[in-house]
Amino acid sequence: MEAPAPPSHATALPAEGRCSYFVEKKKRFCRMVAASGRRFCGEHAGAAEEENARKRILCPLDPKHTVYEDQLAKHLKKCNSREKPKPDFFIQDINAGSKHEMEIPEQLVPFSSLSEEQLKNLIKKLRKASEGLNSPLKDHIMSHPALYDALNDPKNGDCAVKHLKQQASILGNIEKLKLLGPRRCFVEFGAGKGKLSHWVDIALKDAENVHFILVEKVTTRFKVDGKHRRKNSAFERLQIDIQHLCLNRIPVLREGRLPVVGIGKHLCGVATDLALRCLVETYAANFEERTEEPLAKRVKNDKTEEESNALSKEVSEEDTPETRTPVAGIVIALCCHHRCDWRHYVGREYFKALGLGAEDFYYFQRMSSWATCGMRRTSLEASDTTAERKDDQNYDSEEHDERGDRPADGSTDSVPGVLTAEEKENIGHLCKLLIDQGRLEYLQQKGFSPALKYYTDPSVSLENVLLTAVPAHLSPQEAARLFGLAGCLELHVHSALYMSHVRLTANTAAHPQSSLLILHIKPYSAPPSFPSGALHPSRTLVSIINYPFCLLLA
């Protein structure tokens, strides 16, 4: 009931069943529901005359709510913020980087305290490391029919349309990579409300045997995955940090053996590195171990080399991409490079090869925020925009770019010198590109063909770079053309526990003047004493090779 502030509660009454506490600031009674037989709601119970003796305190697990002090022990057992039992797919730090990696030294000079000379040397080092990376990325701004109606719906405001355009382009790129199809599992990292998976599901229509796993670290309101009840698709939400997620222990992946497609929209900094390691190291490696045939069975099913080669050719022709690779593809929209972490960064080896280390990574990571932090706007404009967004109840918190890529500690990373806003923005983009290049190199080493592309216009999102990757399967001719060689020698080999136990099983494209040797290796779990002559080529199938090793011979 809305009413002017009365001199006493006798002149106005609260609504029936509602709290009797008068909120002076709002000039009305509280509208919270009061428990049966009570005059006040839980938050204002302390104001009740009959309950003045009982004290309410902040919950130690979550200070956003209060609890009676004498009921604290009971509350802690059922509080929603309590630590819950760890699920089977939780393995501490399974996707984390090596603990032995050097951490960022604490005695580093704060970025804002760098001298002009130190800054110049840092920028010089950045430009040298990024030589050859300045070529602009290709535009892959796409759309998809599944979102046409939503994009043209006049009820959607500007903010909603921006998100829809990004989702439509990501969906179009997924389809172009031939990753949109039946019999697969889409894992959305940093899912938030789950809208990207929502549109993927709509685009698949009646595709059979499609599963969605939505990974999100925090509790999210207004989730859309609960609205999907189609027979041919299943949604499962996991509230877990990607750092501790073991996909192999999720029943649908352990039992269904479906190829995985990793997707994400604005996956912040370190979360991208954790997701890549979760897919191409943790999941793919364990998947390969599970597909290994027991040694005794291989020996029992021994065949001649000619029969094995025939079998290899037959399976190669019949096998499909879904059965060859545990990870069918990766499509992730990147953002917030300033939130990357050296320990978890997958491109550490790339940085080290360039003569860069943890300290350089720290400063580059900080400077990456210059690309999108909105330095061209005045502080007054920024404050006005913030106020407007607070009033906009439909504002989607999943977006990062327009609010400004600010470092976690709240600093603006102001620097000495006379760098213009445009120069800082270019340096920021260069830092982002260098960090992303390390990710590309990592994926290439893991047997993928990665790419970076612009998936939306900067006016829609300043964080407009999409990382894609699909398994790379090069023929000898393609490999020779890639490296600019006259020919290529390809050998399919078996290996036991040690490389000394190998047996050549095929020589498919020998060239007398080859300077490239491609070794396709299928590891065995045999002990070192196992005779190399007993290793049989029946398991060396070209169709199941996911990670070819390329040795460039001088």
Side-chain angles (χ1 to χ4, degrees):
M1 176 185 295
E2 292 286 347
S8 67
H9 295 317
T11 59
L13 296 175
E16 184 178 357
R18 302 291 173 169
C19 178
S20 298
Y21 182 82
F22 188 80
V23 185
E24 188 65 33
K25 183 178 180 180
K26 296 185 178 180
K27 307 300 181 184
R28 61 170 175 78
F29 285 97
C30 172
R31 295 171 179 171
M32 298 284 286
V33 177
S36 178
R38 304 276 185 175
R39 291 180 54 207
F40 297 90
C41 67
E43 286 302 310
H44 299 130
E49 294 178 357
E50 65 271 20
E51 297 177 354
N52 274 341
R54 303 181 70 187
K55 181 182 178 181
R56 292 189 71 87
I57 60 174
L58 295 176
C59 173
L61 299 179
D62 183 5
K64 294 180 181 179
H65 63 273
T66 60
V67 61
Y68 283 118
E69 188 174 24
D70 57 357
Q71 291 184 343
L72 178 60
K74 180 180 178 181
H75 171 78
L76 292 179
K77 295 179 180 179
K78 60 181 182 180
C79 179
N80 289 332
S81 299
R82 71 190 185 280
E83 185 176 357
K84 301 176 179 63
K86 298 292 188 284
D88 291 340
F89 48 80
F90 179 97
I91 299 181
Q92 186 72 33
D93 291 335
I94 187 171
N95 300 315
S98 173
K99 293 182 179 179
H100 302 294
E101 283 293 330
M102 186 185 73
E103 300 292 337
I104 303 296
E106 294 182 1
Q107 65 273 18
L108 275 179
V109 178
F111 199 90
S112 57
S113 301
L114 288 175
S115 66
E116 186 172 346
E117 185 66 26
Q118 287 174 314
L119 179 63
K120 287 182 178 179
N121 291 335
L122 200 59
I123 295 175
K124 184 178 180 181
K125 187 181 293 188
L126 170 67
R127 295 190 185 281
K128 182 178 180 181
S130 56
E131 287 179 356
L133 302 181
N134 293 322
S135 56
L137 304 180
K138 294 183 178 180
D139 286 332
H140 279 255
I141 302 176
M142 309 184 73
S143 189
H144 195 278
L147 288 94
Y148 282 173
D149 291 341
L151 285 168
N152 295 316
D153 189 346
K155 295 181 181 179
N156 289 322
D158 292 341
C159 183
V161 170
K162 286 184 176 182
H163 285 290
L164 290 170
K165 286 181 178 180
Q166 294 174 66
Q167 290 155 354
S169 183
I170 293 174
L171 197 57
N173 278 277
I174 293 175
E175 185 175 52
K176 186 174 182 179
L177 293 171
K178 304 187 185 305
L179 299 175
L180 204 61
R183 297 180 298 281
R184 61 196 64 203
C185 179
F186 292 88
V187 180
E188 182 179 356
F189 295 95
K193 299 176 184 178
K195 290 184 178 179
L196 183 56
S197 293
H198 162 79
W199 290 114
V200 172
D201 184 56
I202 290 178
L204 288 171
K205 296 181 180 177
D206 297 325
E208 297 181 354
N209 196 13
V210 178
H211 292 261
F212 293 89
I213 296 176
L214 282 65
V215 182
E216 179 55 60
K217 181 179 178 180
V218 298
T219 303
T220 307
R221 301 177 65 193
F222 310 118
K223 298 181 286 289
V224 299
D225 42 290
K227 302 178 182 179
H228 290 266
R229 297 289 184 270
R230 290 203 300 110
K231 295 180 180 179
N232 298 324
S233 65
F235 280 74
E236 181 177 2
R237 180 174 283 267
L238 309 179
Q239 186 175 337
I240 186 174
D241 193 322
I242 306 172
Q243 183 172 336
H244 315 300
L245 174 62
C246 181
L247 291 176
N248 306 84
R249 293 193 176 186
I250 299 176
V252 66
L253 295 178
R254 183 178 64 240
E255 300 164 5
R257 301 180 62 76
L258 296 172
V260 167
V261 179
I263 60 176
K265 176 176 174 284
H266 293 301
L267 195 56
C268 284
V270 67
T272 296
D273 298 302
L274 294 173
L276 294 179
R277 190 177 282 112
C278 176
L279 289 169
V280 306
E281 277 191 47
T282 308
Y283 180 65
N286 291 337
F287 186 95
E288 287 299 306
E289 291 176 4
R290 298 202 313 272
T291 57
E292 279 296 328
E293 188 179 1
L295 179 62
K297 186 176 181 180
R298 290 199 300 268
V299 175
K300 182 178 179 181
N301 295 335
D302 200 23
K303 299 180 180 181
T304 64
E305 188 166 336
E306 290 76 12
E307 290 174 333
S308 301
N309 290 334
L311 176 63
S312 174
K313 181 178 180 180
E314 179 182 349
V315 176
S316 178
E317 293 173 352
E318 295 178 356
D319 224 353
T320 61
E322 287 83 353
T323 60
R324 289 204 303 266
T325 57
V327 179
I330 300 171
V331 180
I332 294 176
L334 307 172
C335 84
C336 299
H337 293 70
H338 67 277
R339 300 185 66 179
C340 290
D341 185 275
W342 175 252
R343 177 192 171 188
H344 304 304
Y345 179 52
V346 296
R348 290 195 305 263
E349 296 303 320
Y350 173 72
F351 261 61
K352 291 177 182 178
L354 294 174
L356 304 175
E359 183 176 338
D360 301 303
F361 180 82
Y362 168 76
Y363 287 124
F364 293 162
Q365 153 202 349
R366 304 285 290 191
M367 290 193 295
S368 68
S369 66
W370 293 352
T372 55
C373 67
M375 289 175 292
R376 294 174 184 271
R377 297 184 303 165
T378 65
S379 58
L380 179 61
E381 291 172 336
S383 63
D384 290 342
T385 304
T386 303
E388 290 174 3
R389 288 206 173 95
K390 287 182 178 179
D391 294 335
D392 184 6
Q393 296 181 355
N394 295 322
Y395 175 64
D396 194 334
S397 61
E398 293 177 13
E399 189 67 84
H400 307 278
D401 49 273
E402 292 187 5
R403 289 177 291 170
D405 256 2
R406 300 292 184 187
D409 59 7
S411 68
T412 57
D413 280 347
S414 60
V415 294
V418 290
L419 287 176
T420 64
E422 184 176 359
E423 289 172 332
K424 289 182 180 179
E425 185 175 329
N426 291 334
I427 291 172
H429 282 296
L430 209 55
C431 291
K432 284 177 174 283
L433 187 60
L434 186 64
I435 292 173
D436 289 336
Q437 185 63 31
R439 291 165 172 166
L440 297 186
E441 293 290 332
Y442 169 81
L443 289 169
Q444 286 178 343
Q445 292 174 6
K446 297 299 180 181
F448 284 82
S449 177
L452 293 172
K453 56 193 73 173
Y454 292 127
Y455 76 99
T456 193
D457 191 84
S459 61
V460 175
S461 174
L462 293 176
E463 295 281 15
N464 61 339
V465 176
L466 190 71
L467 170 64
T468 64
V470 292
H473 298 284
L474 295 179
S475 67
Q477 292 75 19
E478 290 173 332
R481 188 163 56 252
L482 177 65
F483 287 95
L485 304 173
C488 176
L489 173 65
E490 185 178 41
L491 301 176
H492 299 270
V493 305
H494 281 286
S495 69
L497 196 58
Y498 295 101
M499 285 298 293
S500 58
H501 297 284
V502 296
R503 179 180 177 183
L504 303 183
T505 61
N507 186 348
T508 60
H511 191 281
Q513 296 180 344
S514 296
S515 55
L516 180 68
L517 173 65
I518 300 180
L519 296 179
H520 293 279
I521 302 174
K522 189 70 180 176
Y524 279 85
S525 56
S529 60
F530 191 80
S532 60
L535 296 179
H536 200 272
S538 61
R539 290 289 293 164
T540 305
L541 306 178
V542 181
S543 59
I544 61 174
I545 294 166
N546 300 313
Y547 306 105
F549 291 85
C550 297
L551 305 178
L552 187 60
L553 305 182

